[in-house]
Amino acid sequence: MQLGFMMATKLTQFSTESLFETLKHIKIGGTTCLYTKERCAELAPIINEINQLKAEKNAVILAHSYVSPDIIHGVADHVGDSYELAKRAKESAADTIVFTAVKFMAETAKILNPDKRVLMPSQFNGCSLADSITGEQVATLRAIHPDHTFVCYINTTADVKANCDVCVTSSNVYKIIEEIPNDKIYFVPDRLMAKNVIRHLEERGIKKDIKYSDGTCYVHETYDADMIHYLKTQYDELEVVSHPECPEDVIAASDYVGSTSQMIKHVVDTDKKRYFLLTECGLSSRLQLEHPKKEFVGSCTMCKYMKSNSLIGIRDTLKSPQPHDIVNVPEDTAKKALDCINAMFSYVG
Ligand code: 13P
Ligand code: SF4
């Protein structure tokens, strides 16, 4: 298993006992992430059916770290952040990619693999960031700001990517915006991430004119520094680890800021008594299971879009995909969006 990025080294056929042994340490996340023996008895046959179907159909399952632990540890072939999953999609030799995450990630996989079948089992596939701006709105902004390089976060629709110059993810946004050879940047759609980039560049003595649109992640925007200060009064040796979609005061009060996989790597590489992760609680439950000796404190906030993926949905999609499960991107949009995504790969490989 690589740090931060999990590859399939797990069982493909589970008994109730082996599934319970795998999942029983998860305690964060309320009832949806609690695995009793009874629940494992219901889930094990579905997991086994999915792993069988996967082999029959030469399919690969890519999963974001925020989806349910039964998906991550039962059926996923690769688990990672959005950059790693985009890379996996690019390199995949499978005929079918099942993307258990949100729509913009599945669309990115389709853009990178126009000849492959990309399936999306999620029932509720939005994202508050991706839904905050359209391609048409970006085109209007471009007409108003012709001198700016348009940079989009990967949490955007294919249409938005098709209207931008460079795509970034949370793992490379600071580096790419710094390296773009233009001092005028228009960043969409995450207002909080844009402010964090501006602050980061200022701290490094770099001045760029960075404009931004007004989207936010509805999960990350709810955090504030008061939560950090309060927990620090309750626990000694508390390492605070945040995602760059969080507000500025959270970032300023954090010990480390990074993408979900970078956050995992930081936790694994450090030896602190306790950790407070300011991101969707799938990350804490994943770490709790993979590193049971480490302690995680704080509250659990779930992304309803990510958590709308389920084992039953994956099984049904693999068995007989419905038209709404199949990801399609119009050819012209896909071509332009591919240029934008490839521009990212040209910066970070
Ligand atoms: P990562 O690329 O860091 O996994 O972020 C994706 C996301 O949607 C965070 O909310
Ligand atoms: Fe979108 Fe926020 Fe959910 Fe990530 S956590 S998919 S940014 S709504």
Side-chain angles (χ1 to χ4, degrees):
M1 190 189 297
Q2 279 174 261
L3 293 183
F5 185 71
M6 197 178 81
M7 311 223 308
T9 51
K10 58 183 180 290
L11 295 173
T12 55
Q13 295 292 298
F14 286 87
S15 62
T16 299
E17 285 67 32
S18 62
L19 188 61
F20 181 62
E21 277 308 307
T22 306
L23 299 176
K24 70 180 181 189
H25 296 292
I26 295 172
K27 294 194 175 54
I28 271 184
T31 47
T32 52
C33 293
L34 270 188
Y35 294 92
T36 58
K37 271 215 172 130
E38 293 69 33
R39 187 150 179 244
C40 289
E42 285 167 19
L43 297 179
I46 310 172
I47 288 176
N48 294 342
E49 197 182 344
I50 292 171
N51 286 331
Q52 184 69 36
L53 282 164
K54 235 170 40 176
E56 282 166 23
K57 295 181 184 266
N58 188 24
V60 67
I61 298 186
L62 305 184
H64 190 269
S65 295
Y66 293 164
V67 303
S68 302
D70 46 81
I71 297 175
I72 291 180
H73 296 281
V75 300
D77 296 292
H78 304 290
V79 183
D81 66 12
S82 43
Y83 177 72
E84 291 164 334
L85 293 175
K87 276 207 94 169
R88 283 287 152 184
K90 195 177 168 200
E91 291 155 6
S92 174
D95 297 324
T96 298
I97 298 172
V98 181
F99 219 116
T100 61
V102 282
K103 188 174 181 186
F104 72 81
M105 292 190 195
E107 268 187 354
T108 304
K110 181 66 185 175
I111 292 162
L112 290 165
N113 293 279
D115 299 329
K116 289 194 176 131
R117 170 173 269 213
V118 178
L119 301 176
M120 193 186 56
S122 124
Q123 294 307 299
F124 192 27
N125 51 33
C127 160
S128 65
L129 278 171
D131 298 341
S132 71
I133 192 163
T134 64
E136 215 179 315
Q137 287 169 323
V138 176
T140 305
L141 288 168
R142 285 200 81 121
I144 301 168
H145 303 284
D147 297 339
H148 284 66
T149 297
F150 273 68
V151 180
C152 60
Y153 190 26
I154 197 164
N155 296 36
T156 44
T157 61
D159 249 351
V160 166
K161 290 184 179 78
N163 279 284
C164 286
D165 302 301
V166 188
C167 180
V168 296
T169 74
S170 55
S171 68
N172 54 40
V173 55
Y174 296 94
K175 176 182 157 63
I176 292 180
I177 292 189
E178 183 175 336
E179 286 182 14
I180 287 172
N182 185 357
D183 289 346
K184 293 188 170 124
I185 305 285
Y186 205 114
F187 181 70
V188 295
D190 191 338
R191 164 171 52 88
L192 298 176
M193 186 176 278
K195 287 185 175 181
N196 293 330
V197 172
I198 291 168
R199 185 190 149 108
H200 172 83
L201 293 184
E202 274 171 9
E203 279 169 5
R204 294 168 50 77
I206 299 164
K207 265 201 176 308
K208 288 207 179 205
D209 163 23
I210 301 180
K211 300 193 186 312
Y212 47 87
S213 62
D214 196 27
T216 53
C217 163
Y218 87 105
V219 172
H220 292 87
E221 73 175 345
T222 60
Y223 300 130
D224 62 47
D226 289 348
M227 292 164 75
I228 298 174
H229 300 317
Y230 170 71
L231 285 174
K232 285 206 160 176
T233 65
Q234 302 298 306
Y235 300 104
D236 61 339
E237 257 198 70
L238 182 68
E239 183 78 352
V240 179
V241 185
S242 305
H243 194 276
E245 289 170 14
C246 289
E248 271 178 288
D249 62 334
V250 168
I251 301 299
S254 297
D255 300 301
Y256 180 81
V257 180
S259 76
T260 51
S261 291
Q262 289 168 337
M263 290 170 81
I264 290 178
K265 183 165 169 20
H266 180 76
V267 170
V268 173
D269 288 351
T270 51
D271 188 21
K272 291 290 162 78
K273 210 163 169 183
R274 297 183 185 92
Y275 294 87
F276 178 27
L277 304 188
L278 289 105
T279 194
E280 212 267 357
C281 62
L283 210 70
S284 299
S285 55
R286 189 182 151 189
L287 276 161
Q288 198 172 40
L289 196 148
E290 291 165 19
H291 301 278
K293 292 207 172 103
K294 293 191 185 262
E295 189 186 339
F296 299 91
V297 300
S299 62
C300 173
T301 327
M302 288 196 188
C303 171
K304 62 183 173 183
Y305 307 109
M306 289 281 188
K307 290 292 196 275
S308 71
N309 290 277
S310 69
L311 287 172
I312 291 176
I314 296 170
R315 181 198 59 195
D316 294 349
T317 304
L318 261 174
K319 243 186 183 169
S320 48
Q322 300 302 301
H324 62 263
D325 300 329
I326 302 168
V327 181
N328 280 311
V329 180
E331 207 179 310
D332 184 44
T333 305
K335 261 194 187 154
K336 291 182 191 152
L338 182 62
D339 289 343
C340 176
I341 297 166
N342 278 338
M344 168 177 76
F345 288 123
S346 77
Y347 281 96
V348 288

